[in-house]
């Protein structure tokens, strides 16, 4: 085994927001490699396809050399085992995230005790932000430029004008 410190950052990213980017920047500071991995199997129908979500992530993390983009299906612990990842990043915005993340963390730890889960807080400018709010504002032609990268602004416009 080599000494490269690699972490995975799983999520829906429908689409990636500046809050996600903030977490990725903090993770990139801690780890040599960060793999942002898009969940294929989410309950509700996403606005963007997996490929579109991966493309927007790639464009939003261009400035971070150690960051890669991938996708997964099924349990995140199985993806972690398959790829040899021993650390997983999650973002914590407010207390409202805590209960869900706490439950998932304990389930993941039971399933894969060798994986360390790391929780990072974004800058307070992003603690109110999630992808759902961004999609809602964009649907009604609101300005989402304070919340997502210029590339994602463009992709949202293209998608919602169709
Ligand atoms: P959401 O909860 O917005 O649907 P994801 O499933 O894409 O988002 O989230 C992946 C991870 O990123 C989760 O750990 C989530 O808490 C975190 N995250 C989402 N939005 C933000 C944000 N604005 N700031 C910090 N972390 C965030």
């Amino acid at each position: 085994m080599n000494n490269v410190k690699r972490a995975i950052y799983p999520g829906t990213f429908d689409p990636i927001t500046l809050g996600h980017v903030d977490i990725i920047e903090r993770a990139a500071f801690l780890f040599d490699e960060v793999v942002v991995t898009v969940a294929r199997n989410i309950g509700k129908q996403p606005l963007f396809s997996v490929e579109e979500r991966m493309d927007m992530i790639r464009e939003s993390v261009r400035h971070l050399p150690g960051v890669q983009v991938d996708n997964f299906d099924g349990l995140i612990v199985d993806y972690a085992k398959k790829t040899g990842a021993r650390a997983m990043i999650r973002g914590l915005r407010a207390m409202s995230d805590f209960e869900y993340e706490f439950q998932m963390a304990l389930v993941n730890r039971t399933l894969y005790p060798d994986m360390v889960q790391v929780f990072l807080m974004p800058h307070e400018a992003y603690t109110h932000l999630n992808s759902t709010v961004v999609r809602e504002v964009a649907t009604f032609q609101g300005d989402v430029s304070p919340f997502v990268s210029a590339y994602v602004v463009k992709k949202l416009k293209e998608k919602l004008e169709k």
Side-chain angles (χ1 to χ4, degrees), residues 23-43:
I23 295 295
I24 297 165
E25 285 169 349
R26 288 172 205 276
F29 178 74
L30 290 175
F31 292 90
D32 302 317
E33 290 176 11
V34 177
V35 183
V36 183
T37 188
V38 175
R40 303 190 78 95
N41 57 335
I42 51 170

Side-chain angles (χ1 to χ4, degrees), residues 10-13 37-42 46 50 53 70-74:
T12 309
F13 307 106
T37 188
V38 175
R40 303 190 78 95
N41 57 335
I42 51 170
V50 171
R53 284 182 269 155
D70 195 9
N71 67 81
F72 73 101
D73 210 354

Side-chain angles (χ1 to χ4, degrees), residues 31-84:
F31 292 90
D32 302 317
E33 290 176 11
V34 177
V35 183
V36 183
T37 188
V38 175
R40 303 190 78 95
N41 57 335
I42 51 170
K44 52 187 185 317
Q45 188 62 32
L47 179 63
F48 291 100
S49 70
V50 171
E51 283 64 34
E52 287 169 331
R53 284 182 269 155
M54 290 175 71
D55 170 61
M56 287 183 282
I57 298 170
R58 274 191 210 100
E59 288 296 326
S60 303
V61 301
R62 266 186 186 287
H63 59 296
L64 299 167
V67 179
Q68 294 149 32
V69 185
D70 195 9
N71 67 81
F72 73 101
D73 210 354
L75 292 176
I76 191 61
V77 287
D78 290 334
Y79 172 86
K81 283 179 192 166
K82 195 179 77 195
T83 58

Side-chain angles (χ1 to χ4, degrees), residues 9-15 17-20 22-23 44 89-93 97 101 119-123 126-132 135:
Y9 178 37
T12 309
F13 307 106
D14 187 34
T17 69
L18 296 181
H20 292 125
D22 177 294
I23 295 295
K44 52 187 185 317
I89 306 291
R90 295 291 288 172
L92 276 185
R93 284 160 288 193
D97 278 342
E101 294 293 340
F119 295 87
L120 298 172
M121 273 191 301
H123 188 278
Y126 304 127
T127 51
H128 63 293
L129 201 54
N130 65 26
S131 301
T132 306
R135 289 195 305 274

